Amino acid sequence: MGDWLSLVWGGVVGAGAMVIALDYRNFGLRAYDLMAQRSPGGGIDPRFSPDVMRVICGVLGVGSLAVTGARAFGMF
């Protein structure tokens, strides 16, 4: 059961990160605005733009999906 849970969790994290990275239906901008509203100390540093967040989420998404694919290949 634990193998399947980590497999599903990795797929969900990877897919969610890729949705933000590809900015599907402005989801990336909405996530950035939500982070800016909820961050303590008066907002996000201006150097951290939505484009930087999309690159970070893209790397996270590709890495997560690659690890999940390797785990799935190893399971079968």
Side-chain angles (χ1 to χ4, degrees), residues 19 22-30:
V19 165
L22 297 174
D23 204 20
Y24 178 71
R25 302 186 114 197
N26 291 328
F27 189 72
L29 289 176
R30 283 189 255 158

Side-chain angles (χ1 to χ4, degrees), residues 5-72:
L5 183 62
S6 68
L7 190 69
V8 170
W9 179 250
V12 168
V13 169
M18 291 305 292
V19 165
I20 291 174
L22 297 174
D23 204 20
Y24 178 71
R25 302 186 114 197
N26 291 328
F27 189 72
L29 289 176
R30 283 189 255 158
Y32 180 80
D33 290 340
L34 183 65
M35 284 175 38
Q37 288 175 356
R38 303 226 175 161
S39 66
I44 299 176
D45 187 13
R47 294 176 292 180
F48 184 70
S49 67
D51 294 331
V52 172
M53 184 187 72
R54 289 177 61 198
V55 168
I56 292 170
C57 286
V59 170
L60 175 71
V62 168
S64 179
L65 290 176
V67 169
T68 301
R71 283 183 183 169

